[in-house]
Amino acid sequence: NGKPSSEHISLGSAPLPAGGVDPIGATINGTIIFRMGGMSTRLSQDFLGTLDSQGRVDSWQALDLVDNATGPAWSPDSRQIVYVARGRPLSPGVRVRNVATGQDREVARIDGVIVNCVWAQQHPALYCGRQAGSQTEILSVSLDSGRAQTLGSLDGLRNIRRVSTDDRLLIT
């Protein structure tokens, strides 16, 4: 209803870089990803934080994602994140990291500019947006084989935010 649902979250006493803090995603167990230094990937760093019982960030650590990454998004079970490594801009790597172990692997390398990826809720797959001129192609990427299949396209540059619980609706 346009009003805060709780008190502001304190990020502790560590100095913040210019540009501030942007939340990227949170889990139900109180683990959050946030970007310090603004949404620009060149001058920013992604961190993993844990909220305490009062809703304050209890601890935080740098994620150190591969190749100037963009778009970390949580898996449905909150154990992994998916992100896009930008080391090769015309063929970026879609990567998955296990948050508990730090194990990080490339799932697929896709030609073109990948905007971001999110997890499917019911299938072992990711949904990724790929820029195609003035449109965004929606791709389904298998977590098992890395095979990418084009599902359709949308007008304009789109950032996929969420997937419905039945995988039938993408919210951009």
Side-chain angles (χ1 to χ4, degrees):
N1 295 331
K3 297 181 180 168
S5 61
S6 65
E7 295 297 317
H8 289 288
I9 296 172
S10 168
L11 294 178
S13 60
L16 299 177
V21 176
D22 295 300
I24 298 206
T27 66
I28 197 155
N29 69 3
T31 304
I32 61 173
I33 296 174
F34 55 94
R35 177 165 288 156
M36 295 177 72
M39 293 308 284
S40 164
T41 55
R42 269 187 204 214
L43 304 173
S44 63
Q45 172 69 50
D46 293 324
F47 289 86
L48 189 66
T50 306
L51 298 176
D52 66 15
S53 60
Q54 280 81 38
R56 296 187 186 111
V57 176
D58 182 40
S59 65
W60 42 319
Q61 64 186 31
L63 275 175
D64 294 325
L65 301 177
V66 174
D67 288 338
N68 203 14
T70 62
W74 288 105
S75 64
D77 65 5
S78 302
R79 294 180 183 170
Q80 301 177 87
I81 58 171
V82 61
Y83 66 96
V84 180
R86 302 263 187 223
R88 293 186 238 167
L90 297 179
S91 185
V94 176
R95 300 188 68 89
V96 169
R97 175 173 288 188
N98 182 306
V99 176
T101 66
Q103 179 186 15
D104 194 300
R105 68 183 173 100
E106 185 172 274
V107 174
R109 188 158 290 277
I110 301 171
D111 290 336
V113 177
I114 302 299
V115 179
N116 77 315
C117 297
V118 296
W119 293 82
Q121 301 292 311
Q122 299 295 321
H123 304 93
L126 304 167
Y127 294 115
C128 300
R130 174 171 58 189
Q131 187 175 354
S134 63
Q135 294 190 320
T136 301
E137 292 179 339
I138 305 299
L139 308 174
S140 173
V141 178
S142 168
L143 285 166
D144 299 325
S145 69
R147 181 174 170 258
Q149 176 183 359
T150 302
L151 301 178
S153 63
L154 302 169
D155 288 335
L157 183 60
R158 305 290 183 104
N159 191 337
I160 304 170
R161 298 290 183 188
R162 275 187 296 224
V163 179
S164 64
T165 56
D166 62 2
D167 287 340
R168 297 179 62 179
L169 178 67
L170 296 177
I171 300 166
T172 65

